[in-house]
Amino acid sequence: MTRFFMSVATQFENLGDALIHRELALLAAAHGPVLVEWSRCPERFRRTLDLEGQPGITTMAGRGAFLRAMLGARARGERAILLLKPGAYLGPLGLPRWRAEAVLAFNRALAAAGVELMQLGASYERLDAANAAFLARKSAALACHYVRDEQSRHYAWSVGIAVDGVLPDLAFTLYGKSRRPVAGPGAPLTLALSFRTGQYAEQEEQLRALVSQAIAALGREAIGAVRLVAQVTWDKTFLAALAEWLEGEHAIAVTLVDAHDSLETARSAYSGCDLLLSNRLHALLVGGTLVPRVLACVDRTHNAKIVGLFETCGWTKSLFVLDGHAQLTPEVLANAMSAPIDGAPFAAELERGFAAALAGVPTARKAGAAGRN
């Protein structure tokens, strides 16, 4: 029997992080029982994960008992797979050296005991030297390592991180559970906006200019309402200011929705919208299951994970790069809206790829080894 184990520690204010952990557990549960340890998760985040009562999934709080259960499975001759944290890895290490060494030693000990460490749904960008070295050493103990876009794969290889291949982001499982959204009859349009800020100095000003350009390109008279969706707690401050500005400058009816702890709230907010503009990866992916047209409005450096994923998926028409000179003209917007994204093929690819990764876990290393040469 194959048993899966997952210990959850992530950003607890971020719906996207809850989503990818949840979908990873559900994906694994189709192949064997999953034990989720969530002692570090606040109660509200556990509700967002919504894993209790899901078929094949057991939740628990207690890291010692979790470790005993994992090693106990190996002692019984069962296959034990530890699912590591999905999501973005960037910037400095963020751990003291002694703790980083302890993590590496622990991973090596688990691997020596026959526990297979499996990493799916990661992306890598802008790592400092210490973090790159740590993640490279960490990758040596992984039985299986798949990133979510080609850009991450090549960047990881360039800094010595072993990667076996690319599989779609875990949020794509939503597309396998949803019908493809259909464009409405036209005006009046409902415009959805979901933005992060704080990544670089001029970002807020840049995003206000983008929204003004979008309104001009669509035509103010064509817009009936705007919904601002905060999928991360700290997005609410800028979105609240944006709402006030939209109501004052453009006299548009605005609704601000806090969806950081509820997938259903996010889905309800996106339902009925005609176009979504965002620089948050999982706003684009969640919204894309319900909104017929999405446009990723990104800085190529600071939103590299979105650029990488959209380019990997072939969604370049739905990618608008904010480079200081680009203008969201009617022609640019019409070009973007002519090519709606469709995540269903990637949902199927993820399911097939996960099954194939399981079949190859004990020996998978070929692509990663090639990438290190």
Side-chain angles (χ1 to χ4, degrees), residues 89-147:
Y89 290 80
L90 73 161
L93 176 57
L95 293 174
R97 178 173 293 184
W98 68 265
R99 188 172 177 185
E101 292 296 332
V103 169
L104 294 172
F106 182 70
N107 287 355
R108 289 194 298 267
L110 287 178
V115 175
E116 297 168 30
L117 280 65
M118 187 175 193
Q119 179 106 54
L120 268 74
S123 60
Y124 298 96
E125 57 178 293
R126 293 177 290 138
L127 300 168
D128 72 359
N131 203 7
F134 168 74
L135 291 169
R137 293 173 65 195
K138 174 187 168 188
S139 71
L142 301 182
C144 181
H145 187 194
Y146 285 82
V147 294

Side-chain angles (χ1 to χ4, degrees), residues 162-175:
V163 173
D164 295 307
V166 178
L167 285 176
D169 185 88
L170 292 156
F172 276 110
T173 56
L174 296 178
Y175 289 81

